Amino acid sequence: MFFFVVGRILFLLYNYEGNDLNFTNCADVIFHSLRLDTSGAFYLLLPPFFYWIAALIRPPENIRFFHKLYFFTLIPIILLVTIADWEIYRLWGSKLDPNALDYLKYPAEALASSLSSPLGFLFLMYFILLFLFVYISRRMTAWFITSPFIRPASSRLLSLLNGLIVFIILIIGLRGGIQLGSINQSFAYFSKDLFLNHAAVNTTWNLIYSYDNRDKPNPYVFYKHKDAQHMVQNLYASGQDSVSHILKTRQPNIILILLESFSTEILTAFGNADSLTPVLDKISAQGLLFKNIYASGIRTDRGLVSIFSGYPSQPLKRIILKPSKIESLPSLTQILQSAGYNSAFYYGGQSEFSNIKSYLLTEGFSKIIDLRDFPPADRNSKWGVHDKLVFQKAAMDLKTIKEPFFTTILTLSSHEPFDVPMENVFPGKDRRSKYKNSVAYTDRSIGYFINSIQAESFYNNTLFIFISDHGYHLERGSLTKRFPARFHIPLIFYGPALKENWRGREILKIGGQTDLAATLLNQIGLTSAGFDYSKDLLNPNSSDFAYYVFTEGFGWVTPGNFFMYDHRSKSKTEQITNNSHLKGPGSAIGKAYLQILFEDYLER
């Protein structure tokens, strides 16, 4: 841990030029790095741990030799990685990862590239620090060998109990705590300044993590690159734009409500007769309802990237876990902020889960509110704070925020296990009944929220957007989880900022979460350039299609048709009810889309 802190301070000093660096920032970096540093330290302790377990059973005579051999081999390697990271970051602005190490395959080119670096200074620092840490390690080893920690327990049973206790501590340390999700870079991210976030990420941990999640060559190559690219480009060649303008103003306040696990099957407008969501049913009847929208995948982290960056999901891969890649994505939030919008993101759960916090900070949100911003008494859900309390906090904050604003609220209570703080509206304890009650609770919370802000001055200039992070389908069977119904989600524009003649109407164009960015930006007169996979749903000339992914495969939806392809089994399912101009021979467009998208993912 001491090694990591010293290395981080030197990283900050080495790269301070051109960055906002002061004592407070340095202290924040060190504080927010502690959990990743702890996890990294525990990973490095795995070999000694297993050796120690063996020693509990039969104490060896050579433990001093093993301890020295391991740490005196480890220190030079980790120190080399640490110092190399200083210079890699200075040159490229990114942490050391396998991409940088790949250059070692070409020694002549690597040497030529390094000639502009202060190699003499870096080598000097290497040997000074090597001497320092070897000296410290020797002193600590000498103390450790003679300490009570190494003495065997009085009985075999007590030894095994010791081993079990330490094993539990080790697992907690590796995971970075007892939270639901394992530790990731988000636990170190804390600032809008990416330099400070990068400094807080443990270099050794990040390199190991990067190798574990390393990309392989594109497995989805079906056609020649130029042929596949041509097919995909045609999808977004909408011809002459003739977008309908549906808003009263070009700068409305925007409240984006991301509905956890809401599928179209729960809404009256899509045929549900149970009145599960009377508030959203009324909103969909009085707003502009997009009836044929599909989620990119079945996880919240996939939905966030699709909505805010207009970037589709890939089978097996999650780009949100790659900080270096998400930094290259377009940002809806940043574009809105450049136009004068104040931004905030509200979520009742732990924002670090699945590296979401890292993405949100990179996306540019000025303010992120999660479960830590609520008193412990309010954290009465398995996942955190229930929706009504989150909406109440958002409503209070909106009264003081400067207009125009872009506020996002990600709901939580309709996530499994569907435990909500209200009496059941629908009887039963099975999953379907619990799910119905959870969406009914979130629906009520939305009603309370809208009622609580209707009297505010900003309300009359506000556009509400409702869209799901992903769908939810309760039918049994693995195949149904791949059908379009599993991914079919609502998208609704609603509120005083919507023109009267567009209220109560339906848009039938087929699209996905990725299309929200271009649709919204075009309505408020901002550029959607860079959102290469986002089309305007209000442009009658844009293509009718949606793409979604499941494990090792994808679905492709066009008017009256859908096509599913499983790459692992090389099997396909196709249903054709009309002759769509997008179907193509063997649904070639869907395969070409996946091929080009994955190429794009690998190149970021």
Side-chain angles (χ1 to χ4, degrees):
M1 293 291 288
F2 177 67
F3 180 99
F4 290 148
V5 171
V6 171
R8 180 166 290 103
I9 292 172
L10 293 175
F11 172 91
L12 290 167
L13 293 174
Y14 192 84
N15 289 282
Y16 79 92
E17 189 174 356
N19 291 298
D20 182 18
L21 197 61
N22 53 47
F23 177 80
T24 301
N25 286 342
C26 290
D28 283 339
V29 165
I30 292 172
F31 174 75
H32 286 91
S33 69
L34 291 178
R35 292 185 72 172
L36 270 187
D37 283 358
T38 302
S39 179
F42 271 82
Y43 272 106
L44 298 177
L45 286 173
L46 278 174
F49 167 75
F50 289 115
Y51 189 83
W52 178 71
I53 287 293
L56 290 177
I57 299 172
R58 183 176 181 180
E61 297 178 358
N62 61 343
I63 190 168
R64 180 190 293 268
F65 171 77
F66 171 80
H67 194 81
K68 286 185 176 181
L69 176 65
Y70 179 70
F71 282 99
F72 294 169
T73 303
L74 191 68
I75 288 172
I77 294 173
I78 297 180
L79 184 57
L80 182 64
V81 167
T82 300
I83 292 181
D85 182 60
W86 301 352
E87 180 64 9
I88 289 292
Y89 194 87
R90 186 184 71 84
L91 294 173
W92 295 350
S94 61
K95 300 287 288 183
L96 181 68
D97 61 16
N99 294 324
L101 297 182
D102 279 345
Y103 280 94
L104 296 178
K105 297 177 183 177
Y106 313 98
E109 289 79 1
L111 178 61
S113 298
S114 66
L115 293 178
S116 63
S117 300
L119 297 180
F121 172 76
L122 292 174
F123 276 117
L124 178 63
M125 289 298 298
Y126 178 82
F127 288 112
I128 290 174
L129 292 174
L130 182 62
F131 173 80
L132 173 65
F133 284 111
V134 167
Y135 174 77
I136 293 173
S137 183
R138 290 186 64 183
R139 296 296 299 269
M140 292 183 68
T141 300
W143 168 81
F144 180 75
I145 295 300
T146 58
S147 73
F149 295 109
I150 201 61
R151 296 173 185 172
S154 58
S155 69
R156 180 68 57 84
L157 180 62
L158 190 57
S159 293
L160 294 176
L161 180 61
N162 288 341
L164 178 61
I165 292 171
V166 174
F167 177 73
I168 293 172
I169 295 172
L170 185 72
I171 295 300
I172 294 173
L174 292 173
R175 296 184 77 256
I178 58 174
Q179 70 283 344
L180 287 173
S182 296
I183 197 167
N184 54 57
Q185 289 95 330
S186 277
F187 285 80
Y189 274 51
F190 68 97
S191 171
K192 291 187 292 182
D193 186 339
L194 284 179
F195 169 65
L196 300 179
N197 293 331
H198 291 158
V201 173
N202 184 285
T203 302
T204 304
W205 185 96
N206 187 70
L207 184 61
I208 295 171
Y209 180 84
S210 299
Y211 263 106
D212 189 47
N213 291 273
R214 197 175 188 188
D215 294 324
K216 298 178 181 179
N218 190 354
Y220 310 111
V221 178
F222 306 102
Y223 312 105
K224 292 180 180 179
H225 171 78
K226 65 177 182 179
D227 295 334
Q229 189 175 47
H230 178 70
M231 283 189 276
V232 174
Q233 286 175 344
N234 284 342
L235 289 173
Y236 294 97
S238 59
Q240 184 178 1
D241 291 341
S242 56
V243 180
S244 302
H245 294 290
I246 65 172
L247 302 179
K248 295 179 179 179
T249 173
R250 281 300 183 97
Q251 203 172 52
N253 301 310
I254 302 168
I255 298 177
L256 174 61
I257 298 179
L258 304 179
L259 303 164
E260 169 66 50
S261 304
F262 270 54
S263 295
T264 53
E265 64 181 30
I266 67 173
L267 297 175
T268 301
F270 294 89
N272 189 288
D274 290 337
S275 297
L276 301 177
T277 55
V279 174
L280 277 179
D281 288 339
K282 182 179 178 181
I283 286 171
S284 62
Q286 296 179 354
L288 180 61
L289 175 64
F290 296 81
K291 293 203 73 173
N292 292 304
I293 304 301
Y294 294 83
S296 280
I298 58 171
R299 294 282 299 270
T300 300
D301 50 19
R302 292 180 181 272
L304 292 176
V305 174
S306 297
I307 290 167
F308 291 116
S309 296
Y311 197 72
S313 298
Q314 307 82 34
L316 297 179
K317 296 293 183 180
R318 288 185 287 157
I319 196 170
I320 200 170
L321 300 179
K322 307 268 189 175
S324 61
K325 290 184 182 291
I326 62 178
E327 289 168 17
S328 70
L329 293 175
S331 167
L332 175 63
T333 309
Q334 288 181 16
I335 292 176
L336 290 173
Q337 287 189 155
S338 67
Y341 279 79
N342 292 295
S343 64
F345 188 97
Y346 290 79
Y347 177 51
Q350 186 178 44
S351 61
E352 291 89 354
F353 183 77
S354 198
N355 212 35
I356 288 174
K357 183 180 178 182
S358 168
Y359 173 70
L360 295 177
L361 286 169
T362 305
E363 174 70 13
F365 279 98
S366 300
K367 186 178 180 182
I368 299 174
I369 295 89
D370 69 359
L371 63 83
R372 280 178 293 268
D373 296 290
F374 295 83
D378 290 344
R379 305 171 195 172
N380 53 1
S381 160
K382 178 183 179 181
W383 288 91
V385 181
H386 277 298
D387 292 342
K388 185 176 179 180
L389 295 173
V390 176
F391 277 117
Q392 285 177 349
K393 181 169 180 56
M396 290 296 296
D397 291 349
L398 286 172
K399 295 176 181 179
T400 59
I401 193 171
K402 183 181 178 182
E403 299 182 64
F405 55 76
F406 174 53
T407 294
T408 298
I409 304 169
L410 172 59
T411 67
L412 177 72
S413 300
S414 50
H415 194 295
E416 289 188 273
F418 311 126
D419 58 328
V420 291
M422 74 172 191
E423 292 186 9
N424 287 348
V425 179
F426 303 95
K429 295 185 178 180
D430 58 291
R431 286 175 65 244
R432 177 177 287 276
S433 298
K434 289 183 176 180
Y435 173 68
K436 287 181 177 180
N437 282 301
S438 71
V439 297
Y441 169 78
T442 297
D443 185 71
R444 288 184 182 183
S445 300
I446 293 170
Y448 295 144
F449 171 66
I450 293 177
N451 289 337
S452 67
I453 62 174
Q454 278 183 334
E456 301 299 327
S457 58
F458 64 77
Y459 182 80
N460 289 328
N461 188 41
T462 298
L463 172 69
F464 294 86
I465 300 175
F466 298 87
I467 188 171
S468 299
D469 60 345
H470 55 80
Y472 191 81
H473 199 48
L474 291 169
E475 296 298 329
R476 294 182 178 273
S478 59
L479 191 59
T480 61
K481 296 177 181 178
R482 301 180 177 188
F483 273 83
R486 172 69 174 81
F487 300 85
H488 196 190
I489 60 171
L491 169 60
I492 309 166
F493 282 21
Y494 169 81
L498 186 66
K499 289 180 179 178
E500 284 80 0
N501 62 317
W502 282 93
R503 299 177 188 179
R505 294 174 62 174
E506 297 178 350
I507 301 295
L508 300 181
K509 184 177 291 292
I510 296 174
Q513 290 170 321
T514 53
D515 300 325
L516 176 60
T519 304
L520 176 60
L521 290 172
N522 288 346
Q523 285 299 312
I524 56 181
L526 298 176
T527 179
S528 59
F531 290 87
D532 297 332
Y533 297 93
S534 185
K535 66 177 185 287
D536 193 332
L537 296 168
L538 293 169
N539 183 350
N541 297 317
S542 62
S543 299
D544 255 319
F545 75 92
Y547 156 91
Y548 62 83
V549 299
F550 47 84
T551 304
E552 268 291 13
F554 72 91
W556 187 261
V557 184
T558 56
N561 308 329
F562 74 83
F563 171 78
M564 296 184 301
Y565 175 75
D566 188 306
H567 190 66
R568 183 177 293 160
S569 63
K570 302 296 189 294
S571 62
K572 67 179 182 179
T573 302
E574 190 163 10
Q575 177 176 309
I576 304 172
T577 58
N578 65 20
N579 294 318
S580 169
H581 68 288
L582 290 179
K583 182 173 76 67
S587 297
I589 295 178
K591 290 183 176 180
Y593 193 89
L594 175 59
Q595 177 179 332
I596 295 301
L597 174 63
F598 208 85
E599 286 179 10
D600 181 270
Y601 165 82
L602 291 175
E603 291 171 359
R604 288 187 179 272

